[in-house]
Amino acid sequence: MNDRQQGECAMAPFRIDRLKDEGGAVVVLFALLLIVFLSAAALAVDIGHLVVVKNELQNAADAGALAGAGQLYFRADQPPVAESEAEIGWVNPGANQSAREAAIRNTSVKVAVEVNNLTGDNTGDVQRGHWSFWERKFYPLDETAPIDIGSYTEDQLDRMDGQAGRPAFINAVRVVTHREGTPAPSFFARLLGYENFAMQAEAVAYVGFAGGSFEESVFDQPIAICEESILDENGLYSCGKGRMINSASKEDSNTGAWTNFSVGCTDNVNNSDLMGLINYPSDCDGSNPMRIPGGVGISVGGGQNDNIFSDIRNCGGFNPDLGPIRDQPWRLTLPVVDCVEGSDTMTGNITGCKKIIGAVTIDIILITRNFPQNEEQKYTDLPTRMQDWDGSSLTGKARWDSFVDHFDLEISPGIPAYDHYYAKTIYALPSCEFKEPLGGTGGSNFGVLASIPVLVKGSINYP
C-alpha cells in the first residue's frame, strides 16, 4: 500500500464521524424549530382568541355607554320621563343603572361580562360626568342640576369639568367592562406558564348639541330660523337678545323662512304644503310627521303666506279679534339653517335647500298682522303687558319703544328695533334656559342638547 492509499484509509473514519455529528445537529435544530413553530402557532391561536374576547368586551362597553348617555336627562314625553315639569332637563341618576344593564346583556365569547357598579352611586365601572374635547379626558361628576347651555359658548362648555370652581356640565357616561372573575382562558400559552388573561375595555358616550338628525314631530311650527339672525357680533349664540323673524324682501328682514320639512329638498314650499302642517285651531301644537335624518337639507321658502301666518298668529294668541292678547311668551322649538351660505347679508327671499345645523327654542312675545300704516292704528297689535313688562300707560310708538327697551329687541346684531315695527313679523327671545334634549348629536350650540349620543372613546370614536 502506498502512502496515498494509507492516507485515504486514515481519513475515512474522520469523515464518517463528522457526518454522524452533523446528522445529530440537524435533529436538534429540527426539534428546536419545531418548538418555535408550535409556540408561534399556539400564540397565534391564543392571540386570535384574546382579540375576540377584547372586541366583545368593547362592544359591551360601547352599548352600555350609549344606553346610559341616551338616558342622561329627564324628558317630558320619552324615557326617562320626568315626574314633574320642573324635573325636565335635570340629570337622571338612573342613567348609570341603564348603562350597566345594557352592558351586562352582552357576553364575551359566551361568558357574561363584568360591570362592577352595584352601590347605585356614581362610582365604580359606570359613571356620569363631563367629556372635554380640549383635553380628550373624562371627569366623573355627581351634580344633577342642569346648566343653561345657551348662556355659554361651546368652548366654555367644553371646559366645565367641575374643577377649579368651574361649573359642572354633565354630557357623558363612561362604562368599563371586565373579564377578571372569569378571565379569558389560554389554550396553548399555558404550556409556557400563562393559564389565563384578565382583560377589560372602556367606552365613553357623549351627548352633543342637537343637529345630527331629528325624530318625528320635534319641531313645533313650519318655520326655519336663519342662524345669522340669532348670533351676536362675534358669531356666538345670543340667547336672551330679542330678535325679529321675517321673510320679506327687505335686506334687514330675511331672518327666517317657511319650511314644509321635505328632506333632500325635492319639493318647493308652497301654501298647500304648509296648510297640511298648520291649520288653526287643529294644528296649534305643531305637526311635523317626518323624521329628518342627519346630513340632509330641508326645503325652505320666503315670502308672505297669509293664511299660514294668520293661523300661526291665531295659535299663538296674538290676534286681538279672538280675545285678549296673551301676556306670556309662546315657546316654540324650531330648526336652524344657514341662510347666508357665504354671502355677507341676507337679501331677497330665503329659498332653496338649507341644511339643518341645529335647533333653537324661542319665546315669542309678539306676532303682528297686516296692519294699516296709520301711525297710531298700526300699534294695536302690541300687547299692553308681556311677561314682566307693563305698557298699559303708553300708546302708539311710545309703547313700542318701551317694548324694545325692555326686551332688548334687535332686528340683527347691534341694530335696535325702534324703527322696525313691521307687518306680518314675529318678535322673539331666543331662550337661554335648559330645554328638553332632542335629535342626534352633531349640531351647533343654540341652547338645545341632543338626545342621541355618540361614542368619543370606544370602537368608533366621534371626531
Side-chain angles (χ1 to χ4, degrees):
M1 182 180 296
N2 57 36
D3 293 339
R4 180 180 177 184
Q5 290 174 330
Q6 290 178 350
E8 290 176 351
C9 290
M11 292 176 63
F14 171 77
R15 291 177 179 174
I16 293 172
D17 292 342
R18 186 172 64 179
L19 289 174
K20 290 181 179 180
D21 291 341
E22 290 178 352
V26 169
V27 171
V28 173
L29 181 60
F30 177 78
L32 291 174
L33 290 176
L34 183 60
I35 293 173
V36 171
F37 290 145
L38 290 175
S39 298
L43 289 175
V45 171
D46 279 332
I47 290 172
H49 173 67
L50 294 177
V51 168
V52 173
V53 172
K54 176 71 172 181
N55 287 343
E56 294 189 343
L57 276 175
Q58 187 66 62
N59 290 340
D62 293 352
L66 288 169
Q71 299 278 305
L72 198 51
Y73 289 97
F74 286 115
R75 304 176 66 180
D77 301 317
Q78 298 184 39
V81 178
E83 294 184 359
S84 66
E85 185 175 348
E87 196 178 38
I88 295 174
W90 283 67
V91 174
N92 169 30
N96 294 48
Q97 184 62 22
S98 296
R100 182 178 184 275
E101 289 174 357
I104 63 177
R105 281 196 292 267
N106 293 265
T107 60
S108 174
V109 193
K110 299 182 179 181
V111 175
V113 301
E114 302 160 27
V115 181
N116 302 316
N117 188 250
L118 303 178
T119 61
D121 59 12
N122 200 39
T123 61
D125 291 336
V126 181
Q127 294 176 302
R128 306 180 307 275
H130 175 79
W131 172 263
S132 170
F133 281 97
W134 177 51
E135 298 181 86
R136 303 298 300 182
K137 182 177 179 181
F138 176 83
Y139 291 89
L141 297 170
D142 295 332
E143 285 79 0
T144 57
I147 287 180
D148 294 334
I149 64 172
S151 302
Y152 301 95
T153 67
E154 292 182 22
D155 185 65
Q156 289 171 330
L157 290 172
D158 193 49
R159 288 163 169 75
M160 287 185 179
D161 50 28
Q163 311 297 312
R166 293 188 291 269
F169 175 40
I170 310 298
N171 65 355
V173 170
R174 177 173 64 185
V175 173
V176 179
T177 55
H178 302 268
R179 281 197 57 180
E180 293 179 347
T182 54
S186 64
F187 295 105
F188 297 100
R190 65 182 57 204
L191 299 175
L192 302 176
Y194 297 96
E195 293 288 334
N196 49 54
F197 298 89
M199 303 182 71
Q200 72 175 41
E202 178 185 4
V204 178
Y206 156 83
V207 175
F209 307 107
S213 61
F214 294 95
E215 304 96 333
E216 294 181 3
S217 302
V218 298
F219 295 124
D220 295 318
Q221 297 296 338
I223 300 171
I225 302 295
C226 293
E227 174 193 23
E228 296 76 16
S229 70
I230 53 175
L231 302 181
D232 62 15
E233 295 87 343
N234 299 315
L236 302 175
Y237 174 57
S238 56
C239 69
K241 177 76 69 172
R243 287 288 191 261
M244 178 187 74
I245 305 168
N246 193 294
S247 60
S249 58
K250 299 186 183 71
E251 181 175 326
D252 60 9
S253 298
N254 288 277
T255 52
W258 299 107
T259 177
N260 58 5
F261 296 111
S262 62
V263 297
C265 300
T266 57
D267 300 321
N268 294 321
V269 177
N270 54 53
N271 256 334
S272 61
D273 295 331
L274 297 171
M275 287 297 289
L277 296 174
I278 174 68
N279 191 354
Y280 176 79
S282 60
D283 294 324
C284 285
D285 58 350
S287 176
N288 166 22
M290 303 183 65
R291 181 183 183 277
I292 301 174
V296 303
I298 57 172
S299 296
V300 300
Q304 303 289 356
N305 289 278
D306 292 344
N307 294 335
I308 299 300
F309 194 87
S310 295
D311 283 345
I312 287 178
R313 181 168 172 264
N314 294 341
C315 284
F318 293 98
N319 186 351
D321 297 333
L322 299 178
I325 298 178
R326 69 183 301 136
D327 59 5
Q328 295 298 317
W330 185 27
R331 176 162 287 192
L332 301 178
T333 298
L334 304 172
V336 180
V337 297
D338 183 357
C339 294
V340 172
E341 294 184 345
S343 175
D344 293 330
T345 57
M346 292 178 285
T347 59
N349 289 334
I350 306 301
T351 60
C353 185
K354 305 296 182 184
K355 182 178 179 181
I356 297 181
I357 57 176
V360 66
T361 297
I362 61 173
D363 291 326
I364 296 178
I365 54 177
L366 174 64
I367 303 179
T368 60
R369 59 180 167 179
N370 191 10
F371 42 69
Q373 292 304 305
N374 177 284
E375 185 64 20
E376 291 302 317
Q377 290 181 337
K378 76 175 187 178
Y379 293 103
T380 56
D381 276 2
L382 191 62
T384 56
R385 290 181 175 84
M386 175 55 64
Q387 210 169 28
D388 57 346
W389 172 79
D390 187 345
S392 57
S393 63
L394 303 171
T395 60
K397 192 172 188 304
R399 184 188 295 176
W400 171 243
D401 289 345
S402 173
F403 193 79
V404 171
D405 284 338
H406 183 85
F407 292 108
D408 201 13
L409 274 177
E410 296 181 346
I411 63 165
S412 58
I415 303 178
Y418 297 118
D419 299 321
H420 302 276
Y421 188 76
Y422 293 146
K424 298 181 182 178
T425 299
I426 299 172
Y427 296 89
L429 308 174
S431 176
C432 296
E433 298 177 10
F434 195 98
K435 274 75 63 179
E436 180 177 357
L438 57 90
T441 295
S444 299
N445 178 23
F446 303 111
V448 182
L449 279 177
S451 60
I452 303 173
V454 293
L455 289 173
V456 290
K457 187 173 184 180
S459 57
I460 301 176
N461 297 337
Y462 185 75

